[in-house]
Amino acid sequence: MKSKFTDKEVNPLESIEDWENDLLTRYPEPKSEQAKAKEDYRNYHDSERVDTVREFYRLNHQYQTYDFVSQKEAEFLKFEKKEIPFWEAIDYLNTLVDDSDPDINLDQLQHLLQTSEAIRADGHPDWFVLTGFIHDLGKVLCLFGEPQWAVVGDTFPVGCKHAEEIVYPEFFENNPDSKDERYNTKYGIYAPNCGLDKVKMSWGHDEYLYQMMKDYLPEPALYMIRYHSFYAQHREGAYEHLMNDHDREMFKWVEKFNPYDLYSKVPVAPDSKALRPYYENLVSKYLPSVMAF
């Protein structure tokens, strides 16, 4: 079926990693002896790239409606697109090589290994290491023809008023939900402190992978996967009114995970061949050998 979107609407970014590089500008790594200084990253806000990121969020904020998310859930959460052995799925993800990242020239597997190896080096449980290793696996949505703004980007609840703390909040003016009385109030269709398990999030690789993994991993890992792009909450605290005490406890794990994702990029490629046996054993401990996408 031909997409209703133009090529520019499907792929406003040169690479889906442009979103993550923008995050480094918004949330630079805390200073440390080992930390890469903020000025050492290419500052996209001082370059033409800011225009592509703005366009990405214009589309994301316009089209990520409650109905859109419901349609994507119905389409993708049947997991009937493909059945792929786990390691073939990693190879499949590796076709999303980022040729435009100025800070690193590594494929997706190497980024995942950098994240997971940093977690392992700090002595975290093996399920935490596995979470780092698979956290971007949901980006295979791009390989199923999904537009970039429905794969990556900061995530947020749909079905209630969009918080001002979300990046580029002005673009929600063109979102039909902002004019819909069911969805444009503080709580929208939700009850106060109902808990995030009752809240529908914008569609992308986080939610997709969470739904794929929810029967296999411990709850802290699932929170990390589902909410690691929910910056309006774990960095800005904008949705406390929907969270319950259990969410707040679990978000301590999200906050532990996020620095490994954002700040583990270094130009030295991990030795994927040497590491493969460890990760084969780790994956087999928690996940089926064939994944349904």
Side-chain angles (χ1 to χ4, degrees), residues 159-161 182-194 241-242:
C160 61
K161 185 176 181 179
R182 294 172 297 173
Y183 306 136
N184 64 2
T185 62
K186 180 177 180 178
Y187 293 102
I189 63 174
Y190 308 114
N193 302 115
C194 60
H241 56 287
L242 296 181

Side-chain angles (χ1 to χ4, degrees), residues 121-170:
D122 283 349
H124 290 294
D126 63 356
W127 56 261
F128 195 158
V129 178
L130 178 61
T131 302
F133 184 59
I134 67 172
H135 75 278
D136 276 345
L137 189 58
K139 288 180 181 178
V140 297
L141 286 169
C142 276
L143 302 174
F144 296 139
E146 288 301 281
Q148 290 171 346
W149 49 262
V151 177
V152 297
D154 293 25
T155 58
F156 50 86
V158 295
C160 61
K161 185 176 181 179
H162 306 107
E164 287 297 313
E165 290 83 357
I166 302 171
V167 62
Y168 296 119
E170 65 272 19

